[in-house]
Amino acid sequence: MIKLTIDGKEIEVARGTMLLDACRQAGADIPTLCYDPDLRLAGSCRMCVVDVKGRPALVASCVAPAENGMVVQTESDDVVESRKIILELLAARHKFECPTCEKDGECKLQDYMYRYGVKESRYDGEGPHFGMEDPNPFIERDYDKCIMCTRCVRACDGITGAQAINVKDRGHHAKIAAPFDGKLADSTCVFCGQCIMVCPVGALSSKVAAGQGKPAQNKKVLTTCTYCGTGCTLELNVNNDRVVGVTSNRDENWSPVNKGALCVKGRFGWDFIHSPDRLTTPMIRENGGLRPASWDEALDFAAGKIKEIKEKYGPDSLAMFSSARVTNEENYLAQKLMRAVIGTNNVDHCARL
Amino acid sequence: MANYQDIIASCKDKKGGIIEAYHALQREFNYIPREAVAEAARVFGVSEAQAYGVATFYSYLSVEKRGKYIVRMCESAPCHVAGADKVLKAMEDYLGIKVGETTADGKFTLELTECVGQCQATPVITVNSQPVFNVSSEKIPEILSAYK
Amino acid sequence: MAEEIRILLAHADQIDPAQAEDYIKVGGYKGLEKARGMTSKDLIEEVKKSGLRGRGGAGFNAGMKWSFVPPAEVKYVVCNLDEGEPGTYKDRIICEKNAQALIEGMAICGVAINAQQGYIYCRGEYPFVVDLLRKAIQSAKDVGALGDFDIEVRMGAGAYVCGEETALIESIEGHRGEPRFKPPFPGVAGLWGVPTVVNNVETFACLPYILTNGADCFASIGAPKYPGTKVLTLTGDVNNPTYFEVPTNYILSDVVYKLGGGVKNGRKFKAVQVGGTSGAFIPEQNLNTPIDFDSMSAIGAALGSGAVLVMDETRDIVDIVTRISKFFEHESCGKCNPCREGTFRCREIMEKINSGRATEADIDNLLLLARVMKRAALCGLGQAAPVPITSTIEHFGHEYRRKLLQYA
Ligand code: SF4
Ligand code: SF4
Ligand code: SF4
Ligand code: FES
Ligand code: FES
């Protein structure tokens, strides 16, 4: 264990603890933009800088290991001034359309500008100048809201492994780009939207959910994705009793299977939910056509037919193929039904094929 | 003309040698063609996005087609005080192009550079990386006309 | 005392730097031989004792740096030949005059830290130096001077930031030359994640002398706390714009007036920028300072790369600093916010001032920005980029104010 003093408070942390975690442990609220606990460290936004006694420069706490005897100030005048100016620098190139921005209310730039009272930028030269990217049905990339934290690049590489995007050019002209500055669709992008998930501002957003509700207006309902057997947890964004989007919860306790990562189907393939073409009742085939029926009628009908077959040909004439798109519990019940009620071991499952 | 696959293959044993491969490609083509970036990504086992990111990071590498002779004006402070602006103007006038452009005949591309480490003889220009010393606006036509 | 002392350049133009035999004839590779007869601990002690400090800019004791390298199966010796500081060409000169000393120096470091592989990262602007070094290495191998130590030359491609050691490592690995955060320092986890010593050409090239003549001999040259010699490159308004090797206690005014032959065209001196484009501008009243690391730090300047840019009374400081601010905008790698956005805004404000469109508030904004960049930028580039601005506002503030709107 090592001992250090943070904002006058002495604390003890395990060796190898990062200064950021130590500060948080000491109750300090350190702003971060590029830091993401699930991603390779960058140490690039410099928002998390703190004052360490005896160091000539400020220290980026997210990439600095805590050291024995450190005396740290997390909101010294120097620190606050630096954070303010960094925010002003970001603001100077930012297209503020908060009222219509998908991230309004859940945006780190907004939050920190509010926290540090940055109303405008004194660096009033050239403003935002990049524009939008990419015709694709899923992801909106607005370069003029990008703060170049590279979290999207690191998520695309480190979480999804697609490596579809990277930084192009350098300096103030650097921007996030697919190969040859081309379209995402022509790249190795799998449209998982992990980049949207990690973006701390509104530079990346879902086209499918656009305009249907801001973060604060949406109720988040945790559920399990029904597309495949992985069982990812996702968050339905519900607004006025309608599903208007899907986001994910990155907390391992809530999202043990996927820690927030989703695939294109889970994140973007939800707009069928309110489709008028969806079946709303069971259907029974009769005379070459389908007619609506109640659940009771349909279940009785199916049970009757199954009984009939079992009586006539024996239980092994029946088999159950279950699906990865239902939950484990439902699969358990399915095989139980076959074994205990029908009396056959003929059960199988699509994930095994 | 060597093809880009062979050029890249000749560098493949250099660990992390994608920049070496880009140099070799530029010696042949004066820029890095798109297919070559993709091939280099494959050979060096990195994503195309990364290979492209590398190619666009360095100012001596170009992913845009360039002329046969790449003429660069050094504009760092020592050359600046020695009159780089005037020399640049003379080159733009002589070639009829602006910085970043290539002459219609595909012969010259005009670029700016930072110090090329020949500051004993400012102002300096380079033609395909070979420095030309103590240039002046008057000498530009003579210097550039030597490149056919 | 206004004489050159030549250690690195002692045999300049008398030997062919590509030929190891030539170098051996004048006593070359004796240092390496001696190093091989020492334990690694003694060797590092000897280098520490010589007081040799890194010539790349940070001025860290070389032996000390090596002593931090932990044991590991594979380690690397990397030479920084990315001299990108405008006005600097001393590493090129050292190679062109005495490439074998660099090679020997790297091999000595290899013995000290027990590494078998070296890399020289040479800037892309010097393809001819790359060719020369490859020949010189081959020649050293042919005569058996290097033993089992090997050196590969890698070429940069036009990125000043790659002079920063971790960006340089990234570049050798074939990546964008973006600096890494430290720790871990390269000595612990550098090239391909293994312990790596990165030193400048000039630092390595001092080693043969130290080993051959002894640490004490080297330590007695120049300034006691920053001993040895320094190769300077003189540019700008001097009569004699060339390179010199001088002891480190040499006085700056002697550089300008004795070696440089004074200001050109009989004009008066205005300022000198030492250490390249990231260096401070030094006014006349501070000219009487020795060039060594600590003396320069004391006047808020840095010896840096040893470039010396002299400006005469007619020079427009604001215009020159505007040009310099464009340099940093162009060379910022773009990784961290203070530098990526800061260098861009510095250039904007400098242009505004230079073209007579600025007010006093712009200068305040510039100084505020400079302060934040110095404190919060990720690497030395962003931290040093505002130095020319702040040092000229300090010493030549009237030249800025003259250009402000209200006085125009
Ligand atoms: S959608 Fe997924 S694969 Fe595509 S760029 Fe974003 S993170 Fe990468
Ligand atoms: S798009 Fe978002 S995540 Fe990606 S770099 Fe920009 S701000 Fe960061
Ligand atoms: S990204 Fe944030 S600051 Fe920018 S427009 Fe959206 S909500 Fe506003
Ligand atoms: S959060 Fe630490 S540098 Fe970005
Ligand atoms: S400043 Fe132009 S060559 Fe060095």
Side-chain angles (χ1 to χ4, degrees):
Chain A
M1 295 298 267
I2 53 175
K3 271 198 188 128
L4 62 165
T5 312
I6 296 171
D7 295 336
K9 209 185 277 173
E10 235 192 56
I11 64 156
E12 240 185 298
V13 295
R15 191 168 291 283
T17 305
M18 284 311 212
L19 194 48
L20 176 67
D21 296 320
C23 290
R24 288 182 173 168
Q25 212 173 300
D29 180 10
I30 310 280
T32 59
L33 287 172
C34 71
Y35 174 75
D36 187 313
D38 295 330
L39 302 177
R40 174 162 46 82
L41 293 171
S44 62
C45 75
R46 316 306 281 178
M47 271 305 281
C48 68
V49 288
V50 295
D51 223 320
V52 179
K53 203 169 161 193
R55 302 273 174 100
L58 298 175
V59 173
S61 59
C62 72
V63 289
E67 286 170 30
N68 210 16
M70 269 183 169
V71 179
V72 181
Q73 270 184 288
T74 64
E75 297 270 339
S76 70
D77 291 349
D78 281 1
V79 168
V80 170
E81 182 181 87
S82 297
R83 290 183 188 155
K84 275 188 177 168
I85 294 301
I86 290 170
L87 290 169
E88 286 193 32
L89 288 169
L90 290 173
R93 59 176 277 172
H94 197 87
K95 178 176 72 182
F96 287 97
E97 13 170 80
C98 306
T100 53
C101 182
E102 294 298 325
K103 264 294 180 77
D104 182 31
E106 212 176 62
C107 164
K108 284 215 176 194
L109 185 58
Q110 255 187 355
D111 291 352
Y112 295 149
M113 286 176 73
Y114 182 83
R115 170 167 163 187
Y116 288 104
V118 175
K119 294 206 170 84
E120 55 183 7
S121 178
R122 72 194 74 209
Y123 302 104
D124 56 358
E126 190 181 322
H129 56 286
F130 278 123
M132 309 286 251
E133 189 212 12
D134 213 279
N136 74 68
F138 304 118
I139 297 170
E140 185 83 273
R141 181 183 287 280
D142 187 339
Y143 282 111
D144 290 335
K145 293 183 190 167
C146 176
I147 58 165
M148 285 303 288
C149 67
T150 71
R151 275 161 75 158
C152 53
V153 174
R154 288 176 283 141
C156 186
D157 176 21
I159 299 179
T160 304
Q163 304 185 318
I165 47 177
N166 207 314
V167 183
K168 156 190 197 269
D169 292 333
R170 72 176 185 218
H172 187 76
H173 307 281
K175 62 172 206 168
I176 312 296
F180 313 107
D181 213 359
K183 296 182 193 149
L184 273 181
D186 298 332
S187 75
T188 47
C189 174
V190 295
F191 293 102
C192 62
Q194 252 66 270
C195 46
I196 300 179
M197 172 179 82
V198 298
C199 183
V201 295
L204 288 168
S205 58
S206 162
K207 284 185 184 169
V208 187
Q212 301 184 56
K214 289 187 185 182
Q217 298 165 329
N218 294 341
K219 208 169 107 203
K220 304 228 161 120
V221 182
L222 280 187
T223 184
T224 304
C225 178
T226 55
Y227 271 114
C228 82
T230 307
C232 295
T233 305
L234 46 76
E235 258 171 8
L236 295 179
N237 290 208
V238 182
N239 192 348
N240 269 332
D241 282 336
R242 287 181 67 84
V243 174
V244 295
V246 162
T247 50
S248 53
N249 191 315
R250 298 178 63 190
D251 184 337
E252 215 168 348
N253 298 314
W254 292 108
S255 205
V257 172
N258 55 320
K259 279 187 86 180
L262 293 174
C263 80
V264 60
K265 294 179 287 180
R267 198 179 297 276
F268 299 111
W270 47 266
D271 47 350
F272 67 88
I273 293 173
H274 300 292
S275 165
D277 297 338
R278 281 190 72 180
L279 296 184
T280 48
T281 64
M283 307 282 265
I284 292 178
R285 191 175 298 279
E286 250 173 29
N287 310 323
L290 287 164
R291 71 162 172 83
S294 72
W295 278 107
D296 281 346
E297 187 192 359
L299 287 172
D300 284 347
F301 181 79
K305 289 282 182 197
I306 289 172
K307 258 193 212 144
E308 230 177 278
I309 295 169
K310 180 181 163 185
E311 269 154 25
K312 199 157 163 200
Y313 302 105
D316 283 339
S317 63
L318 286 154
M320 163 83 86
F321 286 95
S322 182
S323 160
R325 295 177 59 168
V326 299
T327 62
N328 278 339
E329 291 77 2
E330 287 162 327
N331 272 315
Y332 174 81
L333 291 174
Q335 62 82 32
K336 183 127 186 176
L337 173 76
M338 291 313 277
R339 290 198 170 105
V341 179
I342 311 277
T344 176
N345 288 328
N346 290 344
V347 282
D348 215 332
H349 183 278
C350 73
R352 206 190 63 82
L353 296 181
Chain B
M1 229 190 198
N3 68 28
Y4 66 85
Q5 287 98 335
D6 294 344
I7 295 175
I8 295 168
S10 72
C11 300
K12 74 170 194 306
D13 293 332
K14 293 194 175 178
K15 194 173 174 190
I18 195 166
I19 296 169
E20 294 291 315
Y22 284 161
H23 276 300
L25 288 161
Q26 290 209 147
R27 279 193 285 275
E28 187 71 32
F29 307 111
N30 260 350
Y31 80 110
I32 313 164
R34 185 184 170 131
E35 318 77 70
V37 174
E39 171 77 1
R42 200 182 59 73
V43 169
F44 289 97
V46 298
S47 67
E48 283 187 10
Q50 190 183 327
Y52 181 71
V54 171
T56 55
F57 181 86
Y58 296 93
S59 59
Y60 271 48
L61 305 178
S62 173
V63 291
E64 309 290 339
K65 209 165 159 50
R66 293 188 291 188
K68 182 171 168 200
Y69 299 109
I70 296 155
V71 184
R72 292 200 181 93
M73 178 75 236
C74 171
E75 54 164 0
S76 285
C79 282
H80 176 78
V81 298
D85 288 358
K86 272 197 212 139
V87 177
L88 180 65
K89 176 87 184 30
M91 292 205 285
E92 289 184 334
D93 290 348
Y94 178 80
L95 297 172
I97 52 173
K98 294 264 167 239
V99 170
E101 295 175 353
T102 301
T103 52
D105 59 3
K107 224 164 86 179
F108 291 101
T109 298
L110 188 57
E111 292 182 357
L112 294 171
T113 179
E114 297 297 349
C115 177
V116 295
Q118 303 289 349
C119 338
Q120 75 285 0
T122 56
V124 178
I125 65 167
T126 63
V127 182
N128 287 355
S129 288
Q130 277 306 313
V132 185
F133 304 128
N134 293 314
V135 293
S136 62
S137 46
E138 298 81 45
K139 284 197 243 167
I140 283 302
E142 188 196 325
I143 294 168
L144 292 184
S145 62
Y147 295 93
K148 301 283 183 230
Chain C
M1 183 206 49
E3 290 300 310
E4 278 196 79
I5 293 186
R6 291 196 164 200
I7 289 176
L8 307 175
L9 303 176
H11 303 286
D13 304 318
Q14 295 153 19
I15 56 172
D16 178 350
Q19 298 306 324
E21 287 101 333
D22 275 30
Y23 180 64
I24 290 168
K25 270 186 215 138
V26 297
Y29 287 109
K30 284 228 178 72
L32 177 56
E33 212 180 292
K34 194 162 157 210
R36 286 203 182 109
M38 298 166 81
T39 67
S40 137
K41 202 166 153 256
D42 290 347
L43 177 51
I44 291 178
E45 269 319 303
E46 182 78 359
V47 175
K48 263 195 210 166
K49 205 168 77 178
S50 76
L52 172 65
R53 287 165 68 178
R55 298 296 197 244
F60 201 77
N61 181 295
M64 195 84 90
K65 187 167 179 169
W66 300 358
S67 70
F68 297 147
V69 174
E73 216 163 288
V74 182
K75 299 171 202 171
Y76 296 112
V77 176
V78 171
C79 171
N80 185 344
L81 207 184
D82 191 57
E83 61 177 350
E85 276 295 349
T88 309
Y89 55 96
K90 50 120 184 152
D91 292 341
R92 171 173 67 80
I93 294 293
I94 293 169
C95 291
E96 286 176 349
K97 309 293 178 192
N98 200 9
Q100 297 290 341
L102 162 61
I103 295 168
E104 183 182 356
M106 289 180 70
I108 291 171
C109 177
V111 175
I113 66 159
N114 190 21
Q116 270 75 52
Q117 180 67 47
Y119 285 91
I120 299 176
Y121 184 83
C122 179
R123 66 189 307 223
E125 288 80 354
Y126 293 164
F128 32 87
V129 176
V130 172
D131 292 343
L132 166 69
L133 287 170
R134 287 188 177 141
K135 268 193 219 130
I137 293 163
Q138 193 53 50
S139 165
K141 285 209 276 203
D142 290 347
V143 301
L146 290 187
D148 62 355
F149 190 73
D150 198 6
I151 301 176
E152 191 182 325
V153 186
R154 288 288 177 92
M155 196 148 98
Y160 167 81
V161 68
C162 289
E164 198 283 338
E165 57 181 358
T166 57
L168 184 153
I169 286 171
E170 285 287 321
S171 189
I172 295 181
E173 291 182 1
H175 303 147
R176 297 166 57 82
E178 291 172 0
R180 301 173 178 172
F181 51 81
K182 298 189 255 191
F185 289 90
V188 175
L191 187 56
W192 290 300
V194 306
T196 304
V197 164
V198 186
N199 276 132
N200 180 261
V201 172
E202 204 175 354
T203 316
F204 282 125
C206 287
L207 293 166
Y209 183 91
I210 292 171
L211 268 288
T212 316
N213 300 285
D216 295 333
C217 174
F218 185 85
S220 69
I221 302 168
K225 285 203 174 133
Y226 188 85
T229 60
K230 181 84 186 105
V231 181
L232 304 178
T233 51
L234 233 65
T235 60
D237 303 314
V238 283
N239 283 310
N240 198 11
T242 182
Y243 63 90
F244 304 95
E245 182 175 357
V246 297
T248 49
N249 57 350
Y250 209 79
I251 307 290
L252 191 52
S253 68
D254 287 344
V255 176
V256 177
Y257 291 103
K258 300 214 166 119
L259 299 178
V263 181
K264 227 167 38 184
N265 302 326
R267 295 214 175 102
K268 283 224 284 287
F269 172 92
K270 182 187 266 182
V272 59
Q273 188 189 25
V274 177
T277 264
S278 63
F281 281 57
I282 300 169
E284 179 128 44
Q285 69 262 29
N286 286 343
L287 264 190
N288 215 6
T289 311
I291 59 161
D292 72 276
F293 189 87
D294 308 289
S295 307
M296 293 298 279
S297 305
I299 59 162
L303 174 56
S305 68
V308 180
L309 169 64
V310 177
M311 287 151 275
D312 73 25
E313 55 184 334
T314 67
R315 294 299 179 185
D316 180 345
I317 296 281
V318 176
D319 179 67
I320 294 170
V321 176
T322 305
R323 167 78 268 282
I324 289 172
S325 67
K326 205 173 151 206
F327 171 85
F328 286 112
E329 180 197 3
H330 184 245
E331 296 300 339
S332 168
C333 82
K335 180 169 173 170
C336 83
N337 285 327
C339 178
R340 181 187 61 245
E341 306 304 331
T343 53
F344 180 79
R345 299 299 165 189
C346 279
R347 193 268 303 151
E348 266 191 344
I349 301 174
M350 283 307 302
E351 273 181 358
K352 197 171 169 195
I353 298 171
N354 196 30
S355 61
R357 291 178 288 123
T359 63
E360 196 71 46
D362 289 296
I363 295 188
D364 293 343
N365 291 345
L366 195 54
L367 286 171
L368 180 53
L369 180 54
R371 217 161 47 226
V372 172
M373 288 170 72
K374 280 183 192 174
R375 279 197 308 242
L378 170 67
C379 88
L381 191 158
Q383 289 162 5
V387 169
I389 296 174
T390 49
S391 64
T392 49
I393 293 180
E394 183 185 343
H395 296 298
F396 301 93
H398 53 281
E399 297 210 18
Y400 282 77
R401 304 229 148 70
R402 212 166 52 206
K403 292 203 179 194
L404 297 183
L405 265 179
Q406 54 261 57
Y407 308 111

